[in-house]
Amino acid sequence: MTFVITQNCCTDASCVPVCPADCIRPAPDTAGTAAPMLYIDPASCVDCGACVAVCPVGAIYHEDDLPESQLRFKTINADYFAGTPLDIRATPARWSPTPVGRDALRVAVVGAGPAACYAVADLTRSPGVRVDVFDRLPTPYGLVRFGVAPDHQHTKDITSVFDTALSGPSVQCYFNVGVGTDVTHEQLTASYDAVIYATGATRSRELGIPGERLPGSVAAADFVNWYNGHPDHAEATFPLDSERAVIIGNGNVALDVARILVLDEATLRATDIAEHALNELRRSAVREVVILARRGAGAGAFSVGELMALGSLPDVDIVVEGALGERPDDHEGALKFDIVGEYATRPTVAGRRRRIVLRFGARPLQVSGTERVEALVIEDGDETSTIETSMVLRAIGYRSAPVPGLPSDPDTGVVSNHAGRVTSDGAPVPGLYVTGWIKRGPRGVIGTNRLCARETVESLLADAAAGRLPTPTAQPEAIRARLGEQGVSVVDWSGWRLIDDAERAQGSVVDRPRVKVVDRAALLTAAGVAG
Ligand code: NAP
């Protein structure tokens, strides 16, 4: 008997150290750190269920209890070890923080998304460390609230891990406080022993093709923020009035957006999708979503689990077009290629409500139209062709917004760093750190941030222990006082809990997990801090 890791795996690897048989791979302390998912070796699993108890997103099942849609993961887990037999390793030591050798260390963390939360969790395992968390929004969790697709409610369960970190006695939350607007970078560096930036990658990359700025040509990230109820995107509108939408890029964001465009109202209503988006999507004319990939099926940027999940969307046909390319040799690539191949041979069903077209080997050349998007011109092998549509969504990745005071790459926004220590001309800038997408670029799933944050925290604690941190010239308490004088409505942890309670209560009335409060002023009212 064995346990099986399935689609929802967040890779934060909480399961690895608790496994008495050490049979979950790739282990996070190996080259597999950025693996898209983890696998259990069925030959070594001792059937104890320890992994199930600690999995924060409910991704692990006993083989006898696998839901129908996840059955294939039994083979996928086993196959991983057919190519990579379980390496017997010395049991890795459990992580314990470097003792900082002083009574009090004050750290500011900027951002309250997954990378920030994992950093807070590790920092507060070190006695004497006190952490203040700043986020410009009135709510925590960053991409878990505004990025994770609403139909992935289990993934959002990771917030229970983050709640433990953020609600701890040595943590103060300063939500609705913008660094760079309400408080400056210089005030933070003067007031804290160290500052960690975990501000992610909030900007969308651009294609640089003609017509990209026509109305109807939009960043998928903006659409994601809109349907997830981000306060800055609530007023956005999208042309859902034509039968076809085209998504450029085939990463997991593209698949998220495609699902949201084709899911029926009842399925969407059972999620925490924003009310305004639910209303618009109910009226949507979109019947076909084309996901355009410039490379072949085995090179898809989507993960295996997300690709497989497309195949069980209710009342949706999956159609495959274009050049699939070569079957890769690696485990992940070969699986993707095979799954796409299965979709290609699946008969379409007459009368299905909607369809997703996976189109490979096609490069976007131009978004065309006069007043608004009318078509996308693509290059398909040696041919040029046109896809009629009124909405082109580019899901080609993110880049980080520059942070004043931090040296960053002008193209990607990634801050130059070594193991999380911000560097300038190759030398560490004392007391300044980064973690998450601003540190390593927009790659990986939520759990990838766990080890990323641990590396940064280790660097910080080692610097503290070695006396390499600058001495603050001001007290953090002065920041709260100044914010009060400026009239900034600070939402602390208890304020967020009030918002959370209000959203859940509203949700229970209409049989939904929550009804998100979207308007910023309404969020502050719900938090009890309206001016
Ligand atoms: P991504 O995984 O980097 O995918 C970007 C896609 O855009 C790729 O297909 C890429 O093609 C394509 N692309 C880039 N430049 C292009 C161009 N000029 N023309 C045409 N296509 C272009 O980015 P993402 O989807 O935004 O995801 C970001 C990260 O978040 C990923 O690590 C992803 O796994 C993660 N995420 C995970 C989930 C989940 O686990 N469910 C959900 C959402 C996001 P090439 O491959 O050919 O470069």
Side-chain angles (χ1 to χ4, degrees):
M1 290 297 186
T2 181
F3 283 84
V4 177
I5 302 182
T6 64
Q7 179 196 339
N8 213 26
C9 177
C10 71
T11 76
D12 92 342
S14 309
C15 51
V16 173
V18 302
C19 174
D22 188 28
C23 70
I24 304 177
R25 294 290 185 278
D29 50 354
T30 68
T33 298
M37 69 172 284
L38 305 181
Y39 310 91
I40 293 175
D41 180 13
S44 310
C45 177
V46 292
D47 201 21
C48 68
C51 52
V52 180
V54 296
C55 176
V57 292
I60 308 179
Y61 291 85
H62 193 270
E63 62 176 324
D64 292 341
D65 300 329
L66 275 167
E68 181 80 22
S69 62
Q70 307 291 314
L71 279 176
R72 186 172 185 158
F73 279 97
K74 191 173 165 188
T75 321
I76 290 175
N77 277 239
D79 283 354
Y80 176 80
F81 296 93
T84 317
L86 187 67
D87 51 311
I88 307 299
R89 10 172 248 163
T91 308
R94 285 178 79 91
W95 182 74
S96 51
T98 301
V100 291
R102 50 201 274 189
D103 291 342
L105 187 70
R106 302 291 300 262
V107 180
V109 173
V110 184
C117 291
Y118 281 122
V120 174
D122 278 352
L123 282 167
T124 53
R125 283 173 66 175
S126 195
V129 179
R130 289 168 63 195
V131 186
D132 290 351
V133 183
F134 294 83
D135 198 291
R136 69 184 192 87
L137 293 171
T139 54
Y141 312 137
L143 275 186
V144 176
R145 183 172 166 99
F146 298 118
V148 171
D151 60 330
H152 281 174
Q153 287 295 307
H154 275 312
T155 305
K156 295 174 190 249
D157 292 344
I158 194 86
T159 55
S160 62
V161 174
F162 301 159
D163 286 355
T164 309
L166 294 181
S167 63
S170 49
V171 179
Q172 281 278 345
C173 295
Y174 290 78
F175 302 148
N176 197 42
V177 176
V179 172
T181 49
D182 302 316
V183 58
T184 65
H185 168 75
E186 290 71 23
Q187 285 166 344
L188 288 187
T189 51
S191 308
Y192 292 88
D193 297 289
V195 182
I196 300 179
Y197 278 89
T199 44
T202 50
R203 298 197 174 163
S204 305
R205 289 186 57 233
E206 297 198 346
L207 287 159
I209 60 173
E212 191 172 4
R213 294 185 191 279
L214 274 172
S217 168
V218 296
D222 290 345
F223 189 65
V224 170
N225 277 317
W226 171 74
Y227 66 58
N228 274 324
H230 191 297
D232 296 348
H233 295 262
E235 304 301 324
T237 55
F238 298 91
L240 298 165
D241 55 346
S242 83
E243 289 221 343
R244 182 183 294 120
V246 180
I247 304 174
I248 299 173
N250 71 351
N252 284 328
V253 168
L255 268 52
D256 283 352
V257 167
R259 286 197 319 278
I260 297 304
L261 283 169
V262 299
L263 283 174
D264 59 87
E265 187 195 344
T267 306
L268 288 176
R269 182 168 287 286
T271 74
D272 65 352
I273 192 168
E275 283 282 313
H276 58 249
L278 187 59
N279 291 335
E280 290 301 311
L281 288 165
R282 188 173 49 211
R283 290 194 286 269
S284 164
V286 175
R287 294 286 168 270
E288 175 178 290
V289 179
V290 180
I291 300 177
L292 203 69
R294 56 185 173 179
R295 298 191 287 154
F302 39 60
S303 54
V304 166
E306 299 304 328
L307 175 64
M308 272 177 57
L310 287 187
S312 30
L313 294 177
D315 213 9
V316 177
D317 265 332
I318 307 294
V319 176
V320 176
E321 292 178 355
L324 299 194
E326 297 282 311
R327 184 178 193 267
D329 290 332
D330 67 286
H331 177 248
E332 288 282 328
L335 251 176
K336 291 175 185 177
F337 186 88
D338 291 347
I339 295 165
V340 171
E342 286 165 25
Y343 288 153
T345 55
R346 240 195 215 189
T348 53
V349 179
R352 281 249 164 103
R353 222 174 48 88
R354 294 192 177 171
R355 64 184 210 153
I356 292 176
V357 179
L358 299 172
R359 183 155 183 175
F360 294 94
R363 206 162 60 84
L365 289 183
Q366 182 184 353
V367 183
S368 65
T370 44
E371 301 289 311
R372 54 180 273 190
V373 173
E374 290 166 25
L376 179 71
V377 183
I378 59 167
E379 186 183 70
D380 213 340
D382 294 333
E383 314 242 305
T384 300
S385 57
T386 298
I387 308 176
E388 280 183 25
T389 180
S390 63
M391 181 160 69
V392 173
L393 298 120
R394 54 179 191 283
I396 59 167
Y398 295 82
R399 61 193 180 85
S400 297
V403 177
L406 299 193
S408 60
D409 181 286
D411 291 330
T412 63
V414 170
V415 170
S416 59
N417 74 92
H418 181 68
R421 292 180 179 96
V422 173
T423 56
S424 179
D425 296 328
V429 182
L432 265 190
Y433 302 85
V434 280
T435 188
W437 279 2
I438 197 167
K439 169 186 172 186
R440 61 174 205 279
R443 288 183 306 280
V445 292
I446 291 169
T448 316
N449 292 299
R450 184 168 176 232
L451 286 161
C452 180
R454 181 154 297 170
E455 181 187 62
T456 295
V457 168
E458 267 298 330
S459 294
L460 189 160
L461 296 178
D463 289 346
R468 288 192 289 261
L469 296 182
T471 306
T473 54
Q475 290 295 315
E477 285 67 27
I479 289 187
R480 179 171 278 275
R482 200 173 302 117
L483 288 169
E485 287 158 22
Q486 290 167 211
V488 177
S489 302
V490 179
V491 177
D492 61 11
W493 183 252
S494 60
W496 155 244
R497 295 313 308 220
L498 290 172
I499 296 172
D500 190 36
D501 288 348
E503 289 185 341
R504 287 178 194 274
Q506 184 62 31
S508 71
V509 173
V510 289
D511 208 15
R512 303 187 58 200
R514 69 172 67 233
V515 173
K516 279 185 179 171
V517 181
V518 171
D519 177 68
R520 207 178 254 266
L523 281 163
L524 299 183
T525 303
V529 296

